[in-house]
Amino acid sequence: MEAQATSAFPTRRTTIPFGPQHPVLPEPLQLRLVLEDERVVEALPAIGYCHRGLEKIAEKKDFLQDVYLVERICGICSFMHSLNYCLGIEELMKIEVPTRASYLRVIWAELHRMHSHLLFLGLIADAFGFENLFMQFWRVRERILEVMEKTAGARIMLSVCSVGGVRRDIDDGQKAEILRVVDQVERDLESLLPTMFDDYTVGQRLRGVGVLPADKAHELGAVGPTARGSGIAMDHRLSIGYAAYGELGGVTPVTEATGDCYGRIIVRARELHQSADLIRKAVQRLPGGVVSVPVKGNPDGEVIARMEQPRGELIFYIKGNGTRNLERFRVRTPTFANIAPLLHMLPGCQLADVPVIILSIDPCISCTER
Amino acid sequence: MLNNVQEITVDRLVGEAALIKGRGCRFVTITCTDLGDVHDLIYHFDDQGELRHLRLKLPHGAPLPSLSGVFFAALIIENEIQDLFGITVTGLAIDYQGRFILAEAAPRAPFNRLGGMGVDVRVRPADAAVAATAEPATGGAR
C-alpha cells in the first residue's frame, strides 16, 4: 500500500529459484534471483547438490591410485586434473619427467582444451537459441574425441597421465592422424566461427550482456577466459610454462576488452586456433626417448601445483607425510573462483539473459563441488 | 615446495589481508587442514603471477574472522570451510550457517580428522595401543 502511494506502477520484489534443474544447466546449480519486474537486482548461489567429498577420499587412497580418482573430478577436463596432480607429486618427489612425456602431455592437454571449448560453444549457442550452431560445434568436437580415442584409447577419461610420465606413446601414424584432424577442425571452424563472431542475432544476445570490468574481474578473483574476456592477460601456460609449454613458446594470452558475454566467448573461440598451433608444434618437435620413469619412495612435504585448465586456473595443494597416503589434498577449480565474478555480472540484467550469463563462465559444477 | 609463506596470528589476519589487497594482489583461495588440535589455514594470494601465502594455526573451537569484507570472493570458500571443518567464521558477507555445501541431514564437520563421518583408515596412536593388546584372531584361514 505504501508503494502504491508513491508510484502509479509499484515495483515489487520477487525471489525465484533458478535451478538446480534448468534446461540450460547440464549440472545442478541454484541461483536465488531477486527480481524487480524482469530485472535482476541480486543473486545468491546455492550449491551442494553433487558434493562428493573427493578431497577426503583422496586421503584414503594410495597416492598413485589418486591419479585416476583426481581425473574424475571433472568429466570434461579430466586429463588436466590428472596432469596437474602428477606435476605436483613429481615436484614433491623431485622426479624428472622425460621430455617426450612432457610433449605428449601438451598434445593431450590441448586436445582436451579444444574439445572443452567446442563443447562450451555448442552449449552457449543452445542457451541463446541457435540449435543448428550447437549441433555444428558438437559435430566438430566429435573429431577431437575420435582422435583422443585413437591415441589414448578413450574419448574423455584418457587415464594416460601417470606420476613420472605418461602410460602410452604415439607412433608416426598417430602423429599424422592428429595433424590431419587438427587441420580439418580448423577448416570446419572457418565456416562456423564467422556466425558466432558476426551474426546479428548472436550479437544481440551477447554484446553488452553480463559485463565484468577488468578491475572487478581482478578484485573478485576471476580466472581463465572469464578474466581474459575482461582484458586481463593471465595464462599459466605462459607464466609458469609447465610440461613442455615453456619450450614450445608462443602462448600469448588471448584477451578481449569488452568484458561481456561476447568477449568471453570470442576468447574461447580464438583459443581454439592457439591450441591447434600448439598441438602442431608439439607433434612436429616431439623428441625421442622413453615416456616414463620409475617412481620410488613416497611424497613428503607440501606443494602447490597450478596450471591453465580450459576454464582457467586450477590449483591443487598436496601435502604428503612420507606414507602412501596423502595428509591433505585440496582442489580449487576455476569455476569455484568464477562464482564471485558471476554474482557481479547478474545484477541489472534481464531475467531472459540469466542463462546466457551463467553459461558464459562455462560453469562446471562437478569440478566446483568435487 | 611452498615458498613465500608468512606465519600470522588470528588477530592480524584481516589487517594483513587488507595490506595484501592494497599491493594489488588477487585472492586465490584458502586451504584448511585439520591437524588434530588445531586447524592449519593457508591463505593464498597471487602477486603478479607469484603465489604468496599467509599461514594461521587456529585452535579447535576458536572463531575465525572472515576476509569477505576485504576480498568478497573469500566468502565462498569461507562458507565451505565452515561446513566441512566446523569452524565458526565471523563477519561473513553472506553466512549460510553451515549449510552452503552440505545438506540438512549431513554430518557436521566431515573433513575433520576425528569425528564426523570420517572413518580414518590411518592408524591413530589410540588404535595402535588397542591392537597391540588385542588377542590374535583365531578360526579359519583368511
Side-chain angles (χ1 to χ4, degrees):
Chain A
M1 291 299 288
E2 193 176 321
Q4 283 177 344
T6 56
S7 168
F9 301 100
T11 304
R12 290 180 57 191
R13 287 198 169 192
T14 315
T15 303
I16 65 163
F18 185 94
Q21 303 302 327
H22 189 279
V24 303
L25 294 173
E27 297 173 276
L29 163 74
Q30 191 187 66
L31 285 166
R32 288 165 198 162
L33 301 174
V34 181
L35 304 176
E36 280 182 357
D37 290 338
E38 292 274 319
R39 193 174 64 88
V40 176
V41 293
E42 195 179 0
L44 282 176
I47 62 173
Y49 294 96
C50 56
H51 185 247
R52 292 166 288 167
L54 214 137
E55 293 177 1
K56 196 69 180 169
I57 299 170
E59 295 169 17
K60 319 262 181 223
K61 304 272 184 193
D62 183 298
F63 75 95
L64 294 174
Q65 292 177 316
D66 279 340
V67 179
Y68 308 102
L69 178 73
V70 166
E71 198 166 39
R72 279 146 183 82
I73 289 174
C74 179
I76 303 300
C77 45
S78 51
F79 180 80
M80 305 292 201
H81 288 280
S82 60
L83 172 56
N84 201 39
Y85 177 79
C86 290
L87 289 170
I89 293 287
E90 286 154 5
E91 186 181 338
L92 211 50
M93 298 178 71
K94 298 182 173 55
I95 296 170
E96 195 155 331
V97 175
T99 313
R100 185 175 177 86
S102 294
Y103 275 70
L104 288 169
R105 285 174 170 185
V106 168
I107 292 168
W108 279 311
E110 291 308 314
L111 284 172
H112 249 69
R113 191 179 314 278
M114 288 184 83
H115 104 75
S116 177
H117 281 1
L118 285 164
L119 178 130
F120 161 79
L121 290 170
L123 287 176
I124 193 86
D126 188 47
F128 58 67
F130 205 148
E131 287 191 17
N132 197 274
L133 199 54
F134 155 71
M135 287 188 284
Q136 295 302 322
F137 276 121
W138 278 38
R139 178 180 60 80
V140 177
R141 175 176 172 257
E142 275 300 306
R143 298 188 194 282
I144 303 287
L145 298 184
E146 281 168 12
V147 81
M148 285 202 284
E149 187 169 18
K150 284 177 183 170
T151 55
R155 286 158 58 89
I156 303 283
M157 296 287 176
L158 304 188
S159 298
V160 283
C161 213
S162 61
V163 177
V166 291
R167 293 174 57 244
R168 276 176 180 256
D169 202 352
I170 59 173
D171 59 26
D172 288 343
Q174 288 167 319
K175 284 164 65 176
E177 178 66 5
I178 291 170
L179 293 175
R180 188 190 69 75
V181 167
V182 167
D183 289 346
Q184 180 63 52
V185 166
E186 283 211 295
R187 278 198 297 277
D188 291 339
L189 291 175
E190 276 174 28
S191 62
L192 282 180
L193 289 181
T195 307
M196 192 60 108
F197 289 167
D198 305 324
D199 186 84
Y200 172 78
T201 52
V202 173
Q204 287 294 303
R205 292 302 314 272
L206 302 176
R207 289 182 191 271
V209 175
V211 175
L212 180 70
D215 57 340
K216 274 289 170 190
H218 178 76
E219 182 187 330
L220 295 171
V223 296
T226 304
R228 292 195 286 277
S230 294
I232 296 176
M234 176 176 68
D235 189 324
H236 291 318
R237 289 176 294 172
L238 172 73
S239 58
I240 301 176
Y242 57 89
Y245 287 107
E247 293 174 34
L248 289 168
V251 183
T252 306
V254 175
T255 58
E256 289 285 326
T258 53
D260 54 4
C261 290
Y262 184 79
R264 292 188 278 279
I265 288 164
I266 299 305
V267 164
R268 290 183 177 92
R270 288 172 53 206
E271 283 183 353
L272 286 167
H273 293 297
Q274 188 181 47
S275 292
D277 287 343
L278 280 164
I279 291 168
R280 276 193 208 95
K281 273 194 213 173
V283 169
Q284 285 158 0
R285 297 185 198 172
L286 186 64
V290 298
V291 294
S292 66
V293 292
V295 178
K296 293 173 186 166
N298 297 317
D300 199 2
E302 53 188 348
V303 71
I304 294 270
R306 63 175 177 162
M307 65 178 293
E308 195 68 29
Q309 202 215 44
R311 295 175 177 85
E313 178 191 61
L314 173 68
I315 289 201
F316 288 169
Y317 168 81
I318 304 169
K319 185 176 183 183
N321 54 10
T323 71
R324 305 295 289 176
N325 298 101
L326 296 178
E327 182 80 10
R328 177 80 168 107
F329 174 62
R330 158 103 174 92
V331 180
R332 202 301 313 273
T333 61
T335 300
F336 199 95
N338 284 331
I339 290 177
L342 175 66
L343 300 182
H344 180 82
M345 294 173 201
L346 288 168
C349 79
Q350 294 294 306
L351 178 60
D353 290 329
V354 170
V356 176
I357 295 173
I358 293 174
L359 277 190
S360 75
I361 69 162
D362 194 8
C364 180
I365 308 307
S366 168
C367 279
T368 304
E369 302 200 4
R370 65 220 177 270
Chain B
M1 300 304 134
L2 212 57
N3 301 316
N4 302 323
V5 183
Q6 181 189 347
E7 305 269 349
I8 57 159
T9 52
V10 69
D11 54 314
R12 288 172 48 213
L13 173 65
V14 178
E16 285 291 338
L19 288 175
I20 286 171
K21 187 179 183 185
R23 292 206 300 267
C25 295
R26 171 172 62 92
F27 173 80
V28 176
T29 193
I30 308 168
T31 297
C32 182
T33 309
D34 181 20
L35 299 181
D37 51 346
V38 295
H39 285 110
D40 179 27
L41 289 142
I42 312 174
Y43 292 75
H44 312 281
F45 304 93
D46 184 293
D47 186 359
Q48 307 284 330
E50 194 174 1
L51 281 177
R52 301 197 176 280
H53 318 275
L54 294 180
R55 183 163 227 158
L56 171 67
K57 296 278 192 293
L58 188 75
H60 274 217
L64 177 71
S66 170
L67 286 197
S68 57
V70 181
F71 291 101
F72 179 74
L75 80 95
I76 308 285
I77 180 60
E78 285 177 337
N79 270 293
E80 184 179 296
I81 286 173
Q82 188 163 253
D83 283 24
L84 299 179
F85 291 92
I87 296 173
T88 303
V89 184
T90 57
L92 273 163
I94 307 169
D95 190 351
Y96 287 80
Q97 302 190 335
R99 288 289 174 258
F100 177 61
I101 205 158
L102 295 182
E104 296 285 323
R108 286 190 59 78
F111 272 34
N112 273 348
R113 181 166 293 179
L114 304 173
M117 73 174 184
V119 179
D120 204 328
V121 296
R122 287 165 294 190
V123 177
R124 300 190 299 266
D127 298 336
V130 171
T133 56
E135 288 186 8
T138 55
R142 293 182 178 238

